[in-house]
Amino acid sequence: QKEVEQNSGPLSVPEGAIASLNCTYSDRGSQSFFWYRQYSGKSPELIMFIYSNGDKEDGRFTAQLNKASQYVSLLIRDSQPSDSATYLCAVGANRDDKIIFGKGTRLHILP
Amino acid sequence: NAGVMQNPRHLVRRRGQEARLRCSPMKGHSHVYWYRQLPEEGLKFMVYLQKENIIDESGMPKERFSAEFPKEGPSILRIQQVVRGDSAAYFCASFERREENIQYFGAGTRLSVL
């Protein structure tokens, strides 16, 4: 069964520091990788997607993908209290296949 | 997630009643996923629909649950004879192109079964 694993946290990071969120996946053939942010009681919000090995940057966010290690991460630079949320990693076998979500990592930015 | 409309936002049903959840995808999107989320749990895939077609319903319970996405109107997730274990948040997500699968979520429907 295809699995996506995340540390549930909470991960506490001081304001202004770099938050590093990690995710591993079981299906070596996975092709598409997504990070969603979910505030308590709200719906998931897409932050980043990445398809190729390496880094992809968007503002304060950087997604890193290492297919050989079956590992994808999200870095948040200059963390803000508003970044406190649950971050969901999602992985798809193919670009047109359903994506499997991890249970999420709770991030807490300390003011 | 602006643009994906779900209603109602909150739905209360007694055991044995039917729950009907609606989802209107973003303009131009013809693909819809439905997910269920329990407290402190991840999103669980239920069903993937295109207009007038069920593409993948492998995540949906065989009994009491059904989904449709008609040519006109919203996608509907129907739960018959609800039980307390059906209480959860139900999200739909839509996307434009199957080869990208970049999904945008609606605000969800919180179903409470008394």
Side-chain angles (χ1 to χ4, degrees):
Chain A
Q1 185 168 346
K2 299 173 185 176
E3 293 183 342
V4 177
E5 299 287 343
Q6 296 181 256
N7 188 319
S8 63
L11 174 66
S12 294
V13 173
E15 183 176 356
I18 296 175
S20 178
L21 302 158
N22 305 315
C23 172
T24 59
Y25 56 94
S26 62
D27 183 2
R28 184 169 289 277
S30 297
Q31 297 289 330
S32 55
F33 308 86
F34 305 86
W35 283 100
Y36 284 84
R37 177 176 63 198
Q38 187 175 26
Y39 293 112
S40 180
K42 302 296 184 182
S43 60
E45 174 189 9
L46 180 67
I47 295 178
M48 297 280 290
F49 61 91
I50 186 168
Y51 298 136
S52 304
N53 269 335
D55 294 1
K56 179 180 179 182
E57 186 174 319
D58 184 0
R60 295 188 296 114
F61 299 98
T62 299
Q64 298 177 318
L65 175 61
N66 184 327
K67 288 186 179 181
S69 301
Q70 294 174 239
Y71 177 95
V72 58
S73 64
L74 178 70
L75 302 178
I76 306 174
R77 289 182 298 281
D78 188 23
S79 297
Q80 303 296 311
S82 59
D83 294 327
S84 297
T86 296
Y87 288 80
L88 304 172
C89 172
V91 177
N94 298 298
R95 292 196 184 187
D96 60 353
D97 196 5
K98 62 177 180 283
I99 56 178
I100 307 298
F101 282 83
K103 291 188 177 182
T105 298
R106 283 178 294 148
L107 175 65
H108 184 208
I109 305 302
L110 304 171
Chain B
N1 58 5
V4 181
M5 304 299 295
Q6 287 189 253
N7 64 82
R9 293 290 303 276
H10 300 275
L11 182 61
V12 179
R13 284 287 178 266
R14 296 189 181 280
R15 282 179 296 171
Q17 292 184 319
E18 177 178 288
R20 189 172 296 201
L21 289 62
R22 287 176 290 276
C23 169
S24 296
M26 286 180 71
K27 187 176 181 180
H29 289 191
S30 59
H31 305 259
V32 166
Y33 279 90
W34 283 94
Y35 296 90
R36 177 164 63 180
Q37 187 175 40
L38 295 168
E40 306 302 321
E41 293 285 327
L43 288 159
K44 297 297 185 185
F45 164 79
M46 298 184 74
V47 62
Y48 166 31
L49 306 126
Q50 274 184 288
K51 287 276 188 183
E52 301 184 276
N53 284 305
I54 298 175
I55 306 301
D56 183 348
E57 57 182 347
S58 59
M60 205 152 66
K62 293 287 188 288
E63 298 180 354
R64 301 188 301 108
F65 286 73
S66 62
E68 63 177 6
F69 190 10
K71 185 177 181 181
E72 300 292 337
S75 175
I76 305 287
L77 178 67
R78 185 181 293 109
I79 312 173
Q80 297 177 304
Q81 299 176 316
V82 296
V83 300
R84 289 216 173 109
D86 296 332
S87 296
Y90 292 84
F91 293 100
C92 89
S94 75
F95 59 102
E96 181 179 3
R97 286 187 291 274
R98 187 170 183 175
E99 60 271 18
E100 289 186 343
N101 203 359
I102 299 172
Q103 301 181 24
Y104 298 92
F105 281 78
T109 294
R110 271 78 179 168
L111 173 65
S112 297
V113 179
L114 304 179

